[in-house]
Amino acid sequence: MEVIFDTYIFGTFFASLCAFLLLFILRPKVKKMGKIREISSINTQNDTAITPPKGSGTDVIIVGAGVAGAALACTLGKDGRRVHVIERDLKEPDRIVGELLQPGGYLKLVELGLQDCVEEIDAQRIVGYALFMDGNNTKLSYPLEKFDAEVSGKSFHNGRFIQRMREKAASLPNVQLEQGTVTSLLEENGTIKGVQYKTKDGQEHKAYAPLTVVCDGCFSNLRRSLCKPKVDVPSHFVGLVLENCDLPFANHGHVILADPSPILFYPISSTEVRCLVDVPGQKLPSIASGEMAKYLKTMVAKQIPPVLHDAFVSAIDKGNIRTMPNRSMPADPLPTPGALLMGDAFNMRHPLTGGGMTVALADIVLLRDLLKPLRDLNDAPALAKYLESFYTLRKPVASTINTLAGALYKVFSASPDEARKEMRQACFDYLSLGGECAMGPVSLLSGLNPSPLTLVLHFFGVAIYGVGRLLIPFPTPKGMWIGARIISSASGIIFPIIKAEGVRQVFFPATVPAIYRNPPVNGKSVEVPKS
């Protein structure tokens, strides 16, 4: 067994190296990031002489006060920045996603001094995952041995978490939190100067600041001005709340590798368990006509672990069925002086792995550290160079989490293709081996080790493990054929995702000039923060 495992590792490394070389040769030419593209006129208002008078009183305008916006407002406010947050609706949000914060995201929350925002909201401690497939199960624990006892995943009601951060932001004297709808960005000579927005009572206002951060969520109406959105909707989540039931493994997220795609269970309070049923495609059964309830009872319920079956059916009968499209959008910014995109407005991945909040909080830590030497944000050329650096420096962490989410969703989904079936089974069995075969992938999933190379090595480790099972004890023509298709299928899954994220920025960020464009402050060079 040891010899076989060594062969798998060697094969994984060889396959990955060949793939990197091929993608590097075929990579598209990267445009200079220093060149400012033309801003879309759809969502940007071009006024003449809109430069605000001196002393406008605001350093940063933040559009949106969700997880990203509220956390950013707290962070910049504590750094002494004068922040104006404009949020469309300040009532407590009620969403069925954004309810599980991975340990890596919790560490970022601690780094920002916001860990108390998961207190007093009945948040639940999550220490790992349990996988279920065809009557078998395996338990995977987060590698938390080296961390303080408080470090773990946290699951909660999304709205309660957001309200805690909003309250904390609003308590800062230099943070203004206002309800209003931003209708456009104000642009002058290619630079964003502020926003135009409509207040709750319908009055139109303009607000000015040297930096505007757009983080108005997955339904952003401003992103087209600042990026080239390529939104894909591979599936929808159908959400239910199970009450007063015990999960098979306490303090664990549960993933059922069902047909046609995964089903998730995790606690969101001491008495409630969230269930998310993934339904592939653009069209959903109708909730109003009862088709959705019928689908859940006839197609899904029989695949639920027996201990959860009755609670699942009871939740369906209660009728509070919610849906949410699962969006995926690679980060493809149009670097624009005076403005920055963040959160789901900028970058989305399938929510299967619960990585969205980790990416957003990691981005906030990076932006905070990047801006610290720039006490005067009115230095537009210097600020623009720092913001260009942000887009590249975030890549290794964000792209690892994005790629893992997209790849795992495809591997965990059922398929009539025999090679995909073998890949799915191989993934379950590989993780069940324990040791590094489990620890490595879980460290990626948790956000504790967001390493692109580790991701690719383990992904092809799964593929080669699957091939090895087919060739032992004796290779057969059919086994060799399916094995070749497994490698081909694995490549077809992961490499398009990596290409969309940007091979150069993910694996070779040191070759991107924007990293070195941080201007000196007070005659001293500024060290670029490491991702």
Side-chain angles (χ1 to χ4, degrees), residues 242 297 300-315:
L242 282 58
K297 287 183 177 181
V300 179
K302 61 186 178 183
Q303 302 183 71
I304 300 295
V307 69
L308 295 172
H309 180 273
D310 291 347
F312 179 77
V313 173
S314 176

Side-chain angles (χ1 to χ4, degrees), residues 49-58 186 188 193-194 206-210 378:
I50 64 169
T51 303
K54 290 184 178 180
S56 62
T58 303
L186 302 176
E188 181 183 77
K193 297 291 187 177
K206 293 179 181 179
Y208 301 97
N378 287 291

Side-chain angles (χ1 to χ4, degrees), residues 104-105 108 347 349 355-366 390-405 443-453 455 501 505-507 509 529-531:
K108 295 299 179 183
N347 185 201
R349 75 292 308 150
M357 290 189 287
T358 300
V359 172
L361 294 171
D363 282 352
I364 291 169
V365 170
L366 174 60
F390 168 82
Y391 286 128
T392 300
L393 288 167
R394 70 180 297 275
K395 271 292 182 180
V397 173
S399 295
T400 299
I401 294 172
N402 296 344
T403 303
L404 179 66
S443 69
L444 293 164
L445 178 68
S446 64
L448 296 172
N449 178 33
S451 164
L453 183 58
L455 169 60
E501 291 291 331
Q505 293 93 332
V506 174
F507 292 100
K530 295 181 180 179
S531 296

Side-chain angles (χ1 to χ4, degrees), residues 8 34 36 69 79 144 157 181 204 211 222 226-227 235 247 254 297 349 356 373 375 379 431 480 530:
Y8 293 168
I36 306 302
D79 269 7
L144 301 174
H157 281 269
T181 301
E204 293 278 354
L211 175 60
L222 300 175
L226 304 172
C227 76
S235 66
L247 289 167
H254 292 60
K297 287 183 177 181
R349 75 292 308 150
R375 298 317 303 172
D379 186 348
L431 293 170
M480 294 174 67
K530 295 181 180 179

